[in-house]
Amino acid sequence: MAHFYDELNDDMKKFILKQHMFFVATAPKEGKINLSPKGLESFKIINNSKVLWLNYFGSGNETAAHLLEDDRMTLMFCAYDGNPLILRIYAKVKVIQEKDECWNKYIKEFKNTSGARQVFQLQIESVNSSCGWGVPLYKYQGQRKKLSDYYKSSTKEEQIDYMKKNNQTSFDGKETKLFK
């Protein structure tokens, strides 16, 4: 049975910290809804009502474009081993980019920052827990190394060039305001 809460509690925080992957969902007013898996130790709990997600650059930048139109985001964590559980965080989001004055305050919360594109500050509006009985069991083998190796082997200038070429508009052609 599903339950709603106003914020995270200690059991939820422990559950989140054990997960190796989570999902991020955003939607523009019109266009494609985005749902993406995330990992790479990019999630940080600040307190019961605030979390951070470090977004690394990649093939698209849908989340940033969507948040310019609608500042809502849903995160989902699933138990793939142990007791079943699905936990969803519904939040209002502030986008923090390197060009922003408060960037250093937020980026220092993360260990691996090579390839960082944005930090999303999520103000939790509600948390939903549900049974997760239908989620299959999986064995965690580790994070893939290809993306983090790419970030480590490229220069900051190469990363910026890539983002300027590939991350300034969404797949629907919406602005991300990454460098503006």
Side-chain angles (χ1 to χ4, degrees):
M1 176 178 266
H3 298 282
F4 281 89
Y5 305 87
D6 292 331
E7 61 184 18
L8 297 171
N9 62 38
D10 288 342
D11 288 339
M12 293 172 186
K13 291 189 287 189
K14 288 176 191 171
F15 170 75
I16 288 170
L17 294 174
K18 289 181 183 176
Q19 305 315 305
H20 303 288
M21 177 176 64
F22 62 98
F23 296 86
V24 175
T26 57
K29 294 189 185 309
E30 292 184 25
K32 295 173 183 69
I33 295 170
N34 187 51
L35 174 62
S36 297
K38 302 297 174 185
L40 298 176
E41 299 176 354
S42 62
F43 191 80
K44 174 84 175 186
I45 298 170
I46 301 301
N47 58 44
N48 291 356
S49 61
K50 188 185 297 183
V51 298
L52 301 175
W53 163 43
L54 174 60
N55 181 238
Y56 299 98
F57 77 85
S59 58
N61 196 6
E62 305 310 287
T63 303
H66 293 176
L67 292 171
L68 289 171
E69 292 185 17
D70 187 341
D71 65 349
R72 296 177 305 147
M73 179 185 292
T74 301
L75 303 181
M76 184 175 75
F77 298 83
C78 299
Y80 295 104
D81 58 13
N83 294 327
L85 179 64
I86 298 171
L87 192 71
R88 292 177 185 88
I89 295 174
Y90 302 96
K92 294 283 187 179
V93 182
K94 177 181 176 185
V95 180
I96 298 137
Q97 299 178 357
E98 192 169 355
K99 65 184 178 183
D100 296 327
E101 196 174 297
C102 60
W103 173 259
N104 288 333
K105 173 185 172 185
Y106 289 95
I107 196 68
K108 73 178 183 180
E109 295 288 340
F110 299 93
K111 180 179 165 187
N112 300 316
T113 60
S114 181
R117 176 172 58 193
Q118 294 117 346
V119 174
F120 296 107
Q121 176 189 296
L122 289 78
Q123 187 64 45
I124 296 172
E125 293 191 319
S126 67
V127 181
N128 166 247
S129 67
S130 57
C131 68
W133 294 352
V135 177
L137 294 169
Y138 283 96
K139 184 177 180 184
Y140 178 69
Q141 296 179 21
Q143 293 286 345
R144 296 177 194 265
K145 301 289 183 201
K146 191 166 188 165
L147 189 60
S148 57
D149 287 349
Y150 173 77
Y151 294 147
K152 290 174 188 172
S153 69
S154 60
T155 66
K156 180 73 172 178
E157 291 77 23
E158 291 170 326
Q159 293 175 7
I160 290 170
D161 287 345
Y162 181 92
M163 287 186 275
K164 284 183 176 179
K165 182 179 177 185
N166 298 290
N167 294 165
Q168 294 197 76
T169 58
S170 72
F171 298 141
D172 290 328
K174 298 176 184 290
E175 288 288 322
T176 66
K177 299 203 181 202
L178 185 59
F179 294 103
K180 296 179 183 177

